[in-house]
Amino acid sequence: MEYRTLGRSGCSVSALALGTMTFGAETDEAGAHEQLDVFAEAGGTLVDLADVYSAGAAEEITGRWLAARPADVRDRIVLATKGRFPMGTDPNALGASRRHLRRALDDSLRRLGVDHVDLYQLHAWDPLTPLEETLRFLDDAVSAGKIGYPGLSNFTAWQLQAAVDLAEHRHLAVPVTLQPSYSLLVRDVEFEIVPACLHNGLGVLPWGPLGGGWLSGKYTRDQRPEGATRLGEDPGRGIEAYDRVGARQRTWDVLEAVQDVAEQRGASMPQVALAWLADRPAVTSVILGARTTDQLRDDLGAVDVTLAPEDLARLDAVSDPGRADYPYGDVGAEQRSRGPAGP
């Protein structure tokens, strides 16, 4: 397992993180504890949670695992969780207000059975709460010892920049990470979001690194998904909806390339997709989201996969999302360029 610093912080974390969104839903408690054991035994340290995962059950399951493990195992785990989305029906049971985040953080700590988490992330931008109110809460939580570092999730580039600039201007705790959706099938974050992270020293923690299961090779063009898969149970599910993603020729071109590289390297398709992503600029740790322990074991095998330059070049080319002439294409790039020799 490789280790990297958590963005602009001095905290080291594993280059692969364990996501817990399946805990308490698609993965029962025994399966979740088994995943946590396998992850820790493989040298994994960063465990990513959120209060909304199974309505708090994921944190409770992880908390019971922590309580049952020896101190040397617990002490290696870097805990990250998130707050912002609804945890009730009250008007103040969501958002990034001081009122909601105070309760959300305290509830997360209680469910986890700990007195602090290492990384506390805003799960998304809140258009109603003044940004300074949110950042001052996070700074207070750092000062109180309840969180080690603040982080962001699902922020656009301008939102990220606004948060960093305001925190630095007010001398508040500055966010150290950003969680975006990022994979061979979702690369638009490279236009503005990843450069903003690089500019500000934020580590990228990609979620959905297998495109909701697409990059595992389990879905085909000639048969709609069915059975015990995420899209088999709900073909219209979110960002990975079958009709939406399957309608793009680029999807099938990417899958073909990943399969070819996997066969050449003696690896699985998920391992190739994860190895490509872990090598991208600004990426600190790739968040794995497995239903089963066997899937997790296979994903963890990505640490042993080294892609050749020609592999990376092929995957980069086939997954290129394309861009209009302006502002990200050749026309826009030319207007922003300049050489030291002048015109």
Side-chain angles (χ1 to χ4, degrees), residues 230-300:
R230 290 177 182 174
L231 291 187
E233 296 168 354
D234 182 8
R237 172 180 172 145
I239 193 173
E240 67 262 30
Y242 182 82
D243 289 336
R244 177 187 297 117
V245 180
R248 304 170 189 146
Q249 180 59 40
R250 172 173 166 267
T251 297
W252 306 107
D253 292 342
V254 169
L255 294 181
E256 180 181 0
V258 172
Q259 184 176 24
D260 287 349
V261 172
E263 291 174 354
Q264 293 168 11
R265 300 299 165 197
S268 69
M269 289 178 65
Q271 289 169 356
V272 168
L274 294 169
W276 175 87
L277 186 55
D279 194 52
R280 303 303 290 175
V283 170
T284 287
S285 187
V286 178
I287 301 173
L288 310 177
R291 281 189 173 201
T292 69
T293 305
D294 286 343
Q295 289 174 346
L296 176 62
R297 286 194 177 99
D298 184 74
D299 290 349
L300 289 168

Side-chain angles (χ1 to χ4, degrees), residues 169-188:
H169 180 66
R170 300 297 193 198
H171 303 290
L172 305 173
V174 180
V176 300
T177 56
L178 174 76
Q179 272 198 40
S181 177
Y182 192 10
S183 71
L184 277 163
L185 295 178
V186 181
R187 290 186 58 190
D188 286 353

Side-chain angles (χ1 to χ4, degrees), residues 22 28 49 75 109 115 169-170 244 257 296 313 317 324 333:
T22 64
D28 63 19
L49 304 116
D75 290 346
L109 297 177
D115 60 7
H169 180 66
R170 300 297 193 198
R244 177 187 297 117
L296 176 62

Side-chain angles (χ1 to χ4, degrees), residues 1-4 13-17 45 278 283-287 303:
M1 182 66 71
E2 180 186 352
Y3 299 90
R4 304 170 179 177
V13 296
S14 51
L16 297 178
T45 61
V283 170
T284 287
S285 187
V286 178
I287 301 173
V303 300

Side-chain angles (χ1 to χ4, degrees), residues 313-330:
R314 180 180 181 187
L315 294 172
D316 287 351
V318 76
S319 64
D320 189 326
R323 58 212 74 195
D325 291 341
Y326 187 91
Y328 302 120
D330 293 343

Side-chain angles (χ1 to χ4, degrees), residues 8 125 131-132 135-136 152 155 157-175 196 199-202:
R8 61 194 291 171
W125 175 265
L131 185 56
E132 184 166 354
L135 293 174
R136 286 197 178 277
L152 310 173
F155 273 45
W158 77 263
Q159 293 165 352
L160 177 162
Q161 193 65 57
V164 170
D165 286 348
L166 184 57
E168 290 180 339
H169 180 66
R170 300 297 193 198
H171 303 290
L172 305 173
V174 180
H199 176 71
N200 292 286
L202 270 68

